[in-house]
């Protein structure tokens, strides 16, 4: 699985290419990175102290996504990449759910899942037979060779426009999914969660303006009918998980009649590398 994408990986220390050496990856400068028994490789530069999603957050995400609740978002991402081949790199891939759906749509694709969370990469490494996974910090230099990615995904994840531009081949596509201001708004009010910034779309355009050209934009909005456990999972997998008290959250969810209704609302935007 990792072997399918090792050719696009780069050493986080010197930027040189990596090759398989037994149970490790090695660059010409002899920097060595051991492959974890779960199948992913850590390519975080030494001294990195970024805190990624916890094991509990990743488990909640896996439970919620595997339930098919966000399948319409995955369908929109797949549709945006019709005809695309080559290596698809997902920056902030989480469990690899969206990338796996993209790989399912074409035998001519391989996938690289990048996420700062080792718990996420453990799951992503096993999410698809043509997917490899590596820990990486989206805000630093990505461990990917320049121009090696045919396509980039960025779903509910941080964006480093300069690095995404560097690793994407000329003319390659970038697919970005961001929540709209009304995303899960019913839960935000009922459970006292963090609200989506109303300027999110504007900030996205500003971040990418100098390096990417807009191709298309589609609003994906659909109703959700959730059990109490589903509602707890969707909160537990997102940014509100860092702030919500689990006990208090369960009390609030218990006070909401089942099924818990909410609206998923995101924008799927496609850009081309300028």
């Amino acid at each position: 699985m990792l072997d399918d994408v090792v050719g696009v990986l780069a050493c986080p220390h010197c930027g040189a290419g990596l090759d398989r050496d037994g149970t490790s990856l090695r660059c010409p400068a002899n920097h060595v990175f051991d492959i974890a028994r779960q199948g992913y490789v850590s390519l975080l530069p030494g001294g990195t102290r970024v805190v990624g999603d916890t094991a509990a957050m990743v488990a909640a995400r896996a439970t919620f996504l595997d339930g098919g609740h966000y399948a319409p978002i995955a369908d929109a991402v797949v549709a945006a990449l019709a005809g695309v081949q080559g290596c698809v790199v997902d920056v902030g891939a989480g469990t690899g759910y969206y990338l796996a759906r993209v790989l399912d749509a074409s035998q001519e694709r391989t996938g690289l899942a990048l996420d700062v969370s080792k718990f996420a990469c453990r799951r992503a490494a096993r999410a698809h037979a043509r997917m490899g996974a590596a820990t990486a910090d989206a805000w630093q230099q990505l461990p990917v060779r320049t121009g090696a990615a045919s396509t980039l995904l960025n779903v509910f994840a941080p964006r480093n426009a300069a690095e995404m531009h560097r690793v994407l081949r000329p003319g390659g596509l970038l697919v970005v999914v961001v929540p709209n201001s009304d995303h899960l708004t019913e839960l935000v009010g009922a459970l006292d969660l963090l609200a989506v910034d109303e300027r999110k779309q504007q900030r996205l355009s500003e971040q990418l303006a100098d390096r990417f050209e807009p191709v298309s934009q589609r609003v994906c909005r659909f109703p959700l009918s959730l059990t109490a456990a589903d509602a707890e999972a969707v909160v537990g997998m997102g940014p509100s998980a860092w702030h919500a008290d689990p006990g208090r959250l369960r009390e609030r969810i218990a006070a909401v009649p089942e099924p818990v209704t909410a609206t998923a609302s995101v924008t799927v935007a496609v850009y081309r590398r300028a």
Side-chain angles (χ1 to χ4, degrees):
M1 293 175 277
L2 188 58
D3 288 339
D4 288 339
V5 295
V6 68
V8 308
L9 292 173
C11 175
H13 300 300
C14 64
L18 294 170
D19 291 303
R20 183 72 175 256
D21 183 12
T23 58
S24 302
L25 299 183
R26 185 184 302 269
C27 77
N30 213 34
H31 297 124
V32 180
F33 308 91
D34 293 333
I35 301 171
R37 61 182 176 84
Q38 296 91 349
Y40 75 96
V41 61
S42 177
L43 296 179
L44 289 168
T48 300
R49 292 292 182 268
V50 177
V51 178
D53 287 351
T54 64
M57 292 174 69
V58 171
R61 180 173 291 111
T63 297
F64 188 81
L65 294 178
D66 289 348
H69 301 293
Y70 278 2
I73 300 175
D75 291 341
V77 171
V78 170
L81 295 179
V84 169
Q85 300 180 0
C87 183
V88 182
V89 177
D90 192 344
V91 183
T95 63
Y97 170 78
Y98 297 99
L99 182 54
R101 287 288 306 274
V102 167
L103 298 183
D104 280 339
S106 173
Q107 294 291 325
E108 304 303 318
R109 298 169 181 164
T110 57
L112 172 62
L114 300 178
D115 200 284
V116 73
S117 168
K118 65 180 181 181
F119 304 107
C121 285
R122 288 174 181 174
R123 291 181 182 266
R126 301 177 180 180
H128 198 280
R130 284 178 276 116
M131 185 192 306
T135 54
D137 182 2
W139 296 117
Q140 299 190 45
Q141 181 171 309
L142 297 174
V144 178
R145 301 187 193 196
T146 298
S150 66
T151 307
L152 292 180
L153 299 184
N154 185 255
V155 183
F156 300 118
R159 290 168 297 280
N160 182 334
E163 273 301 285
M164 292 194 297
H165 183 271
R166 180 186 67 80
V167 304
L168 188 59
R169 67 171 175 80
L173 297 181
L174 163 66
V175 179
V176 182
V177 178
V178 295
N180 298 323
S181 59
D182 60 338
H183 181 58
L184 303 180
T185 185
E186 299 90 344
L187 295 183
V188 170
L191 305 180
D192 192 25
L193 306 179
L194 297 177
V196 177
D197 183 359
E198 294 184 356
R199 296 183 62 254
K200 203 169 188 70
Q201 294 293 338
Q202 179 182 339
R203 290 192 292 108
L204 172 62
S205 298
E206 292 171 351
Q207 287 173 335
L208 302 180
D210 295 336
R211 297 179 173 90
F212 294 90
E213 301 168 349
V215 174
S216 65
Q217 184 170 293
R218 170 184 172 184
V219 173
C220 185
R221 181 179 288 109
F222 52 95
L224 295 171
S225 181
L226 309 174
T227 65
D230 293 333
E232 185 174 348
V234 76
V235 175
M237 75 184 201
S240 289
W242 295 106
H243 307 280
D245 175 77
R248 180 63 176 153
L249 175 62
R250 290 190 189 98
E251 291 177 2
R252 287 176 173 157
I253 292 175
V256 179
E258 287 194 60
V260 180
T261 58
T263 303
S265 177
V266 305
T267 295
V268 181
V270 181
Y271 298 84
R272 191 180 308 278
R273 184 186 187 275

